Amino acid sequence: MAVQVGIPTSRGVFEAFVAGPEDGRPVLLLHGFPQTGLGWEGQIAALAAEGFRVAAPDQRGYATGVRPEDPAAYGMDSLVADVVAITGALGWPVFDLVGHDWGGAVAWWTADAHPDRLRTLTVVSTPHPGALARTLRTDPDQRERSRYMIEWRDPATERRMLADGARELRALYGGGVPARRVEEYVRHLSRPGALTGALNWYRAPRPRHAIGATGVPALYVWGTEDTAFGPAAAEETGRHVKGPYRFERLRGVSHWVPEEAPGVLNRLMLEHLTAHAGD
């Protein structure tokens, strides 16, 4: 059973859900927008049951102890440094990394910056940043899907999302997230400063350099009904991975894979982790 703890680091205290034997193989789970570490509930239970030590932190902006006001504090270098700080505080010199949505982007960049720290990489929904950048240049469909990334930089976004009982925020989950979990997310993000912290990920300066091809053994899972990331970027991702790579399309599944298709995702993750147990 997962317990919520505070992980003190030099960058602040990150709340996290942890489970599994303390001496188990470590796995870090990174959530996306607009969620929290709770989004991994199904995966935490499945991994812990197989003997893994799992931690799912609330990331920068979502964590009450790490919520700077300046959007510049949410650049990718800072987000990757948070991963290093959290795993350092946990005493994990090498670990398996899993990310969804924005957490997936951070996972790709962490694999690029610290490949020696990762045993495996699993990314859900989010294509490789190089693949996304290319399709934003060449694919009108992906450009249209990604318009929100620019629109949400508007400082009025928080007020709009939380208006009328958070109607617009609730609509983002599109039926792919259980209603009780939506209520938990909305309650968390309605607290003072929380939604601004989450949206600052979109307002932060973009990385100044391109990401390289990923050499860490990688599993990429994408739902065919994802409204944020289309097929062009998903299929392009394999061209940006130079290590062992597995791409799984989930037919009829939306962007919210961890909560909409937990059983399938758990099976794929465990297969991937087991296949690279000695890496």
Side-chain angles (χ1 to χ4, degrees), residues 77-95:
D77 288 347
S78 291
L79 302 174
V80 171
D82 288 345
V83 172
V84 173
I86 290 168
T87 53
L90 291 170
W92 295 356
V94 178
F95 57 98

Side-chain angles (χ1 to χ4, degrees), residues 30-224:
L30 303 177
H31 69 83
F33 176 90
Q35 299 171 287
T36 67
L38 265 178
W40 295 109
E41 183 179 34
Q43 290 67 51
I44 294 170
L47 290 168
E50 294 297 324
F52 292 89
R53 180 63 171 174
V54 191
D58 290 350
Q59 295 199 78
R60 173 175 295 251
Y62 300 81
T64 55
V66 192
R67 190 175 289 164
E69 295 182 4
D70 186 357
Y74 293 80
M76 190 54 70
D77 288 347
S78 291
L79 302 174
V80 171
D82 288 345
V83 172
V84 173
I86 290 168
T87 53
L90 291 170
W92 295 356
V94 178
F95 57 98
D96 297 278
L97 183 59
V98 182
H100 170 247
D101 187 74
W102 261 116
V106 176
W108 286 117
W109 280 94
T110 302
D112 184 69
H114 303 282
D116 56 315
R117 298 288 308 278
L118 303 191
R119 183 177 281 109
T120 67
L121 173 68
T122 299
V123 178
V124 185
S125 301
T126 315
H128 186 283
L132 181 59
R134 184 176 187 278
T135 52
L136 284 172
R137 294 193 303 269
T138 62
D139 181 42
D141 174 66
Q142 186 57 58
R143 282 198 297 273
E144 179 63 24
R145 290 171 184 261
S146 297
R147 281 180 56 190
Y148 70 93
M149 295 185 182
I150 297 173
E151 293 171 352
W152 289 353
R153 297 177 191 175
D154 183 341
T157 303
E158 290 93 319
R159 176 177 51 78
R160 190 178 70 247
M161 283 188 174
L162 294 176
D164 192 20
R167 180 175 55 85
E168 186 172 321
L169 177 59
R170 293 173 191 276
L172 295 177
Y173 304 101
V177 177
R180 65 176 180 84
R181 185 53 42 78
V182 170
E183 293 305 315
E184 291 169 320
Y185 292 152
V186 170
R187 185 163 55 250
H188 182 92
L189 292 169
S190 296
R191 293 168 182 156
L195 186 54
T196 295
L199 287 166
N200 277 345
W201 287 56
Y202 295 94
R203 296 162 177 160
R206 294 295 179 258
R208 295 183 179 180
H209 63 282
I211 190 173
T214 300
V216 175
L219 166 66
Y220 175 43
V221 182
W222 170 75
T224 61

